[in-house]
Amino acid sequence: MGSSLPAARGRRWLIAGALLLPGASLLPPGAAVAADVAVGGPAISVPDGFVVEQVAGPPLVERPVAVAFDADGRLYVTESSGSNAPLVEQQTDPRHRVLQLRDADGDGRYDDRSVFADGLMMPQGCLWHRGSVYVAAPPQILRLTDTDDDGVADSRVVWHDGGTLTGCGNDLHGPALGPDGR
């Protein structure tokens, strides 16, 4: 999330990501809880000053896995195809994707989307960093970049290649920035 978002709006974006990933913890240790809100599953606890709103859901997003925000408030959602085919079949015909969601009318809810990238192995993580979306799609981490700002990644670079997969292909998670921003 970029520093250009107002503080209140930034809190909304943080909560929006958690709604797409039930079970994510938003609270620092020892934080005062203002409310417990159930949104289609277990309750989410939020501190004073935060709100819980559903800002995206079907039909824009069906099976979210991970999310990342860019500096303009666009939401990148890695989405499963729903397939649990054997690993060999998944490697031959990868069906998962990354969506870019946009709030076209400025009301704080996503109402427009594009398929940012498709044909991916099961996306296990997503990070917006320096103009690109990094997606862990085992055995690789891909750097996806939209150079013409049309909502579709036109550059796909293998940023890291782990080489092999074992078992069910659940071998690579992340990516995430460290405390030093790297």
Side-chain angles (χ1 to χ4, degrees):
M1 177 173 38
S3 60
S4 62
L5 291 175
R9 188 170 179 198
R11 286 192 297 264
R12 174 182 289 153
W13 293 124
L14 179 63
I15 300 294
L19 287 177
L20 291 172
L21 297 172
S25 174
L26 301 173
L27 301 174
V33 175
D36 286 336
V37 180
V39 180
I44 299 170
S45 297
V46 297
D48 286 327
F50 284 75
V51 297
V52 175
E53 297 177 10
Q54 182 172 348
V55 297
L60 289 178
V61 178
E62 296 290 336
R63 292 176 285 305
V65 177
V67 299
F69 297 96
D70 70 12
D72 295 323
R74 293 176 291 206
L75 180 62
Y76 297 85
V77 181
T78 62
E79 186 175 55
S80 167
S81 68
S83 170
N84 64 350
L87 180 59
V88 174
E89 184 180 327
Q90 289 184 51
Q91 288 177 293
T92 304
D93 184 21
R95 301 178 189 159
H96 310 287
R97 61 191 184 173
V98 178
L99 303 174
Q100 182 194 80
L101 304 185
R102 294 172 296 278
D103 175 8
D105 59 11
D107 68 355
R109 288 173 172 70
Y110 294 101
D111 43 37
D112 188 35
R113 79 166 192 189
S114 59
V115 176
F116 191 72
D118 59 8
L120 303 176
M121 285 296 288
M122 182 60 181
Q124 311 262 334
C126 185
L127 169 72
W128 171 263
H129 183 62
R130 295 186 178 174
S132 297
V133 176
Y134 292 78
V135 174
Q140 301 172 331
I141 297 177
L142 304 173
R143 182 178 67 222
L144 307 170
T145 309
D146 178 5
T147 62
D148 57 6
D149 201 31
D150 66 353
V152 177
D154 44 36
S155 172
R156 184 182 298 210
V157 174
V158 175
W159 184 80
H160 168 77
D161 191 341
T164 61
L165 292 173
T166 59
C168 68
N170 189 11
D171 294 41
L172 180 66
H173 298 276
L177 295 178
D180 62 357
R182 294 179 182 217

